[in-house]
Amino acid sequence: MTITPAQATYFGFSGTLLFALLLLGALTLFTYTASRRIQLLTLGGPPEDRLDHPLARLWHMAEYGLLQRKMFRDPYAGLYHALIFSGFLVLLLRTLMLVFEGLFPGAGLPFLPTGFWQGYLLVKDLVLVTTFAGVVLALARRHVAKKERLDPSFDADLILLLIGFLMVTDLGAGAAKMALDAAKSAALGATPSTALAQNALWEPLTYSLSKQFSFLSSSSLQAIYFGAWWAHLVAIFVFGNYLPFAKHFHVITALPNLFFAKLEPAGKMATFDIERAAEAEKFGVSKIEDFTWKQKLDMFTCTECGRCREVCPTHLTGKPLTPKGFMVDLRNALYADADALIDADAGRGDGSAEVALAARRPLIGGWIDEETIWACTTCRYCEHACPVGITFVDKITDLRRHLVLEKSSFPKEAQTAFNGMERQGNPWNLAASDRAAWTVDLPFPVLTMAEAADAKLAGGVEVLFWVGCAGSYEERGKRVSRSLARLLHEAGVTFAILGTEETCTGDAARRLGNEYLFQTLARQNVETMKGYGVTRIVTNCPHCFNTLANEYPDFGGTFEVMHGTELVSRLVREGRIRLVNGEARSLSFHDPCYLGRHNGVYDAPRELLNAIPGIVLKELPLSRGNGMCCGAGGGRMWLDETIGARVNQARFAEIEANGTDAVGVSCPFCMVMLGNAKTELAGRTEAYDVLELAAQALPAHPG
Ligand code: SF4
Ligand code: SF4
């Protein structure tokens, strides 16, 4: 019987003892490093509960982690990642087998029947080769194809080579042992044993390689077997201990990060207690430790794959923000001060940790420039692209909250919008008393909730039409408001507006960091609507839609909120609206970020467009979840765009290239941005709101 490496003695030391010491050292080092990382996660930052809905969390982890749903959006990367990832899963058990063999040499494998282990050996044998193939494909992508989103990385190359080395040593050790067993049997004059015949069946690749070793002497085979076995295990220990220091920490943290992912609507921002924050004189995030544990787990988990960067509109138009760079900078900031943060948090030491922290590179202005923080349009394309569930908008807006509420440091144009929202209830700073002026041209009266209540109609109002600031003041937005009113009227839906009692939802204020203003507006609006017993709302503004549906519940306002296209497409389906007029035109549809990616409403506007006679929809190359931002979100509508190309022009150029007669939108801000781009670029493609087109198709359209 061939002795195993752990059964041998080395310079008088038992192989088992050496192995046990190596294992103990590796585990001790890993435990120490992991415990430091966990301490980093938990220090500072507000508490965050991510243990609700465990089954939904498990499914989310399985869908995106185990089934790798996002990885195959890039089929080549999906393939090599799946090969390597499946190798990890399968070889985890193999590693446990080797550890058992090292600690208990000569003992049979425990717990499970022989048939299981034989089946496992077959899978393992194949996976050694497929994993190696995955490594070769990954290296080819980095060094031959030189994919733009993958930056040169010594760390990535090292890890890939280490994985390849693990496959080679595992196969080499197994094949040498098999050849050794066969040589010993032959030396004893035995015919090939049943065990050797089974090798060909259960470990065919190892067996084939062992045949290639048949010319080697027993001592050479033993040297290969022992050398490869020890090298393999030492490489595993090195690999495991290297992971927490590098981007491959995601091997450990990706599944937990997906399990603890945000399950609330994507567009909902976290609400914090503004009174308590004011007492503590602390708003948002100014230091790296102020982020929550989940936000720090995101930093640990970034694989630096660059998928977020290649889709980010700010990066594509030459702004300083790249989501990948932002995440890596946050992680570097966290690691740079890790020891001092942990020591200071534990109250240990001689005060040097506090001194080091006081003198450290500041997060804002040091690691992250203010221009970077203000560049984001909060479009969430990066989050849609990220395969490991990392979020950006929460971190950007936490930094903005600090800048606005503690430092009063923000682009000066934002002040005009803040003043308008505060004084007149709209960011244009137009007279609050004119909020309902858009109704005057309509051929039927539009009641306010107050008028409906006076007329004892409040109970009979089916739905509140939330008009929004753009729908109330912006010229094109007012036309769309009239269109929606006409469509509702045509369907016989009884509706009312708040009129001058409506004020801005505060969406832009919140995303620009002015949480105080947002909460003031939110409370006021919720109180108004609850006062009228509102239960259902329709709005054409995706920003209002997102805020009313997802954020107002935190302030006691829980309503059924529909986007205009959702309600009108349903009314068409139910036969309450007939769309009979229309001119033949091809049309692209531009998905608004706050309707699509933030709230998953993709089909309703398309269903409505398809119901309008004459319209032929031609999808844009970047549509639905991949729709590119117009540049207005995150309060950017109110800020100057002075760096790089303009986002609206970049999107408009894509629309022009689609070659349609027109582009449909479902957001008043997209309408303004694309309309401006058409003028700026002297373009051809006219933008229409989907509801405008639907209203034009009504039988009694006045022309
Ligand atoms: S939210 Fe949009 S603009 Fe902001 S970092 Fe992500 S992709 Fe870029
Ligand atoms: S944040 Fe996500 S998409 Fe961006 S580089 Fe990191 S892992 Fe890749």
Side-chain angles (χ1 to χ4, degrees):
M1 184 68 182
T2 305
I3 65 161
T4 66
Q7 285 172 318
T9 54
Y10 305 84
F11 308 107
F13 290 101
S14 139
T16 309
L17 181 63
L18 279 178
F19 178 82
L21 289 174
L22 259 178
L23 177 66
L24 185 66
L27 287 178
T28 306
L29 187 56
F30 182 80
T31 307
Y32 173 76
T33 315
S35 70
R36 302 281 287 180
R37 291 286 181 260
I38 290 169
Q39 285 177 68
L40 263 188
L41 277 189
T42 52
L43 58 83
E48 196 173 15
D49 177 17
R50 293 289 176 108
L51 288 171
D52 56 325
H53 305 97
L55 288 180
R57 292 186 175 284
L58 278 173
W59 172 243
H60 185 83
M61 182 177 75
E63 188 178 7
Y64 293 98
L66 299 177
L67 302 177
Q68 309 258 300
R69 208 178 126 187
K70 285 190 183 175
M71 292 302 296
F72 281 93
R73 287 179 189 165
D74 176 347
Y76 183 97
L79 174 65
Y80 71 67
H81 197 270
L83 292 176
I84 295 173
F85 181 66
S86 58
F88 267 105
L89 293 182
V90 173
L91 297 176
L92 208 56
L93 186 54
R94 171 69 170 165
T95 304
L96 292 177
M97 285 168 72
L98 290 174
V99 168
F100 185 82
E101 185 188 320
L103 292 175
F104 307 103
L109 287 167
F111 312 127
L112 294 167
T114 310
F116 170 83
W117 290 115
Q118 286 176 326
Y120 174 73
L121 284 176
L122 178 61
V123 175
K124 178 271 309 176
D125 218 37
L126 297 172
V127 158
L128 286 178
V129 177
T130 53
T131 307
F132 191 81
V135 168
V136 172
L137 290 173
L139 285 170
R141 180 121 261 213
R142 290 188 159 273
H143 297 285
V144 182
K146 296 192 191 314
K147 180 84 174 162
E148 191 272 335
R149 67 175 164 81
L150 298 171
D151 294 324
S153 165
F154 168 78
D155 181 43
D157 291 343
L158 182 68
I159 289 286
L160 285 171
L161 291 174
L162 206 47
I163 296 169
F165 182 75
L166 286 170
M167 302 306 114
V168 170
T169 48
D170 196 342
L171 195 61
K177 179 173 184 301
M178 214 178 264
L180 211 49
D181 288 343
K184 289 214 165 146
S185 297
L188 293 171
T191 51
S193 68
T194 312
L196 285 176
Q198 285 193 350
N199 287 337
L201 186 62
W202 298 117
E203 294 183 86
L205 297 168
T206 309
Y207 178 73
S208 304
L209 185 62
S210 79
K211 298 297 254 181
Q212 308 305 313
F213 286 170
S214 56
F215 69 94
L216 292 170
S217 66
S218 289
S219 58
S220 300
L221 285 172
Q222 179 145 336
I224 293 173
Y225 174 33
F226 280 28
W229 192 90
W230 282 109
H232 182 80
L233 282 157
V234 169
I236 286 176
F237 297 154
V238 169
F239 182 80
N241 275 289
Y242 184 65
L243 290 182
F245 293 97
K247 78 187 190 77
H248 284 83
F249 200 16
H250 79 269
V251 172
I252 296 170
T253 60
L255 289 179
N257 203 51
L258 287 163
F259 179 83
F260 293 121
K262 174 178 170 181
L263 297 183
E264 293 172 311
K268 179 183 187 305
M269 276 179 59
T271 298
F272 66 88
D273 186 336
I274 201 100
E275 305 294 337
R276 193 176 295 174
E279 274 168 31
E281 296 181 11
K282 179 149 188 54
F283 299 91
V285 165
S286 61
K287 303 190 187 86
I288 192 71
E289 62 270 27
D290 295 340
F291 284 113
T292 68
W293 65 267
K294 175 59 177 64
Q295 290 174 316
K296 293 188 200 111
L297 188 61
D298 277 356
M299 297 168 205
F300 288 171
T301 306
C302 178
T303 71
E304 298 179 32
C305 70
R307 284 175 172 77
C308 54
R309 185 176 70 187
E310 72 178 353
V311 299
C312 172
T314 69
H315 169 66
L316 295 173
T317 53
K319 314 280 188 297
L321 168 64
T322 81
K324 171 182 165 181
F326 175 71
M327 196 53 56
V328 171
D329 284 343
L330 290 181
R331 180 168 66 202
N332 289 341
L334 185 61
Y335 286 176
D337 300 310
D339 290 342
L341 284 168
I342 291 169
D343 287 348
D345 186 60
R348 276 196 301 265
D350 52 5
S352 56
E354 287 77 4
V355 173
L357 289 178
R360 71 178 142 161
R361 186 175 169 187
L363 181 64
I364 301 176
W367 291 99
I368 311 283
D369 289 338
E370 287 196 29
E371 276 173 348
T372 301
I373 295 167
W374 293 111
C376 180
T377 67
T378 68
C379 73
R380 290 195 56 256
Y381 200 173
C382 50
E383 298 179 10
H384 175 77
C386 179
V388 288
I390 289 171
T391 55
F392 293 84
V393 172
D394 56 331
K395 298 171 187 71
I396 294 267
T397 47
D398 277 345
L399 293 165
R400 288 183 180 179
R401 282 169 168 175
H402 167 76
L403 286 172
V404 172
L405 297 175
E406 265 191 69
K407 294 280 177 215
S408 282
S409 174
F410 47 82
K412 62 178 183 337
E413 317 87 82
Q415 186 66 61
T416 314
F418 291 157
N419 288 345
M421 287 183 251
E422 200 175 328
R423 293 171 194 163
Q424 302 287 354
N426 69 86
W428 279 277
N429 210 359
L430 295 170
S433 54
D434 288 344
R435 197 159 184 109
W438 62 272
T439 59
V440 293
D441 295 341
L442 283 169
F444 52 86
V446 174
L447 293 184
T448 63
M449 290 299 280
E451 289 164 344
D454 285 347
K456 307 274 187 263
L457 275 178
V461 171
E462 286 178 63
V463 63
L464 168 70
F465 175 11
W466 182 276
V467 186
C469 299
S472 302
Y473 293 101
E474 199 276 325
E475 278 314 309
R476 196 66 187 271
K478 289 197 277 186
R479 271 168 57 181
V480 179
S481 298
R482 285 192 281 273
S483 297
L484 180 52
R486 287 191 59 232
L487 288 158
L488 296 177
H489 181 74
E490 177 78 14
V493 174
T494 53
F495 69 95
I497 60 173
L498 286 173
T500 53
E501 288 188 278
E502 181 186 290
T503 188
C504 179
T505 58
D507 155 80
R510 183 168 236 200
R511 277 142 192 91
L512 284 170
N514 196 339
E515 183 71 8
Y516 184 82
L517 177 54
F518 165 73
Q519 292 200 11
T520 305
L521 295 168
R523 290 204 165 86
Q524 183 181 335
N525 283 322
V526 167
E527 194 183 327
T528 306
M529 287 188 282
K530 285 175 83 170
Y532 289 116
V534 170
T535 56
R536 299 174 81 214
I537 302 173
V538 64
T539 180
N540 189 46
C541 174
H543 297 265
C544 296
F545 173 81
N546 179 65
T547 306
L548 293 165
N550 301 325
E551 299 185 337
Y552 276 20
D554 283 355
F555 303 90
T558 303
F559 313 104
E560 182 195 342
V561 186
M562 292 164 287
H563 186 257
T565 57
E566 288 183 301
L567 178 55
V568 174
S569 61
R570 200 179 79 202
L571 294 170
V572 171
R573 217 181 309 133
E574 290 170 352
R576 292 172 68 182
I577 292 177
R578 285 184 315 117
L579 302 178
V580 293
N581 296 318
E583 56 185 87
R585 52 160 77 105
S586 62
L587 191 113
S588 309
F589 179 68
H590 163 82
D591 288 276
C593 304
Y594 274 73
L595 191 60
R597 267 191 300 274
H598 286 64
N599 286 289
V601 179
Y602 297 113
D603 293 333
R606 288 174 170 80
E607 185 185 335
L608 190 49
L609 284 170
N610 285 326
I612 299 172
I615 285 185
V616 178
L617 189 56
K618 183 181 177 196
E619 290 289 352
L620 287 158
L622 291 179
S623 64
R624 303 180 80 94
N626 296 325
M628 189 186 166
C629 181
C630 72
R636 290 275 345 160
M637 173 85 180
W638 315 106
L639 306 185
D640 293 340
E641 194 175 346
T642 52
I643 304 174
R646 293 180 63 83
V647 174
N648 63 335
Q649 293 182 7
R651 180 53 165 166
F652 186 77
E654 289 172 2
I655 291 166
E656 289 265 278
N658 205 34
T660 50
D661 302 327
V663 56
V665 298
S666 278
C667 170
F669 295 156
C670 296
M671 175 74 94
V672 171
M673 296 305 267
L674 296 179
N676 287 350
K678 177 178 181 287
T679 308
E680 289 153 8
L681 297 174
R684 174 184 50 75
T685 316
E686 192 69 56
Y688 296 94
D689 193 281
V690 176
L691 295 178
E692 249 182 320
L693 295 170
Q696 285 168 12
L698 286 171
H701 177 56

